[in-house]
Amino acid sequence: MRLTTDVPGFGQVTIRPVDPVADLDLIHSWVSQERARFWGMRDLGRDRVGEIYAYLDSLPTHHAYLLHRDGEPVGLFQTYQPEHDPVGECYPVRPGDFGIHLLIGPPPAGGAERGFSRTLLDAFLDFVLATPGRTRIVAEPDVRNDRAVARLVGAGFVPGPLIDLPDKRARLLFLDPAARTAGGQASR
């Protein structure tokens, strides 16, 4: 699934599936940076990152997407069905739960832009919620990743319990799409 939308005052946002071969150099350059330490791939070589994304691409329950702003890649997002992921063993999964991971790309040479991450997150949530039957969005950032937790709470996610996953201690967060529509979504 691919989506292109114009976001007033921001530009054209395109969301498209990751191509594990063609996008490997870009993805590896992002996930190997210190700023991406919570993504869990910082010390992995290019080939290993390629194997992981090829495997992810083979699963019907997990998907990776690149977000572009006016043609430039700016974010990496992943989705998953919690009942087919280790997180599903840590909380009572409800029908319609749908999980997300997000990694905003490095800021441009001119520096970070106020509201940039929030606008990308909103665009991605619109994309995710466009599929009927998704009644709750689940995220589980590393508990030490204060910025990600704050970003998700700011987008309307409600904090849940702490959980222990194989590679991290995480904070579960939940988003009810109806609450987002009723006012949890910031204006862009």
Side-chain angles (χ1 to χ4, degrees):
M1 181 175 182
R2 180 184 180 106
L3 172 77
T4 298
T5 186
D6 289 316
V7 179
F10 187 77
Q12 187 176 71
V13 175
T14 301
I15 301 170
R16 67 158 176 85
V18 162
D19 178 324
V21 175
D23 298 326
L24 179 56
D25 288 335
L26 173 71
I27 292 170
H28 182 258
S29 74
W30 286 1
V31 302
S32 60
Q33 295 180 14
E34 170 60 24
R35 63 184 300 283
R37 67 189 169 281
F38 296 117
W39 199 253
M41 297 181 158
R42 195 180 77 187
D43 297 325
L44 300 182
R46 181 184 179 281
D47 290 343
R48 181 65 182 126
V49 170
E51 290 169 2
I52 291 168
Y53 278 90
Y55 174 71
L56 186 69
D57 190 52
S58 76
L59 299 174
T61 58
H62 293 65
H63 304 284
Y65 300 92
L66 277 176
L67 278 81
H68 293 77
R69 178 190 192 189
D70 297 330
E72 293 297 318
V74 292
L76 173 64
F77 288 79
Q78 294 174 193
T79 63
Y80 63 92
Q81 295 173 10
E83 64 272 24
H84 299 285
D85 192 87
V87 73
E89 298 172 15
C90 299
Y91 83 100
V93 176
R94 295 183 193 167
D97 278 1
F98 197 72
I100 64 167
H101 298 285
L102 63 111
L103 176 67
I104 304 298
E113 179 183 335
R114 185 171 172 79
F116 182 85
S117 296
R118 177 58 191 268
T119 301
L120 286 183
L121 177 58
D122 282 343
F124 188 66
L125 289 172
D126 289 347
F127 172 77
V128 167
L129 293 170
T131 299
R134 295 181 178 162
T135 58
R136 187 169 66 161
I137 305 301
V138 179
E140 35 39 76
D142 189 297
V143 71
R144 299 168 297 168
N145 192 344
D146 297 329
R147 292 179 76 182
V149 172
R151 184 175 294 127
L152 291 165
V153 168
F157 282 76
V158 175
L162 294 176
I163 60 171
D164 290 311
L165 292 168
D167 57 344
K168 66 182 176 184
R169 183 151 177 88
R171 166 70 67 192
L172 274 174
L173 294 129
F174 301 96
L175 176 68
D176 174 351
R180 181 172 180 264
T181 302
Q185 181 180 12
S187 61
R188 294 182 227 172

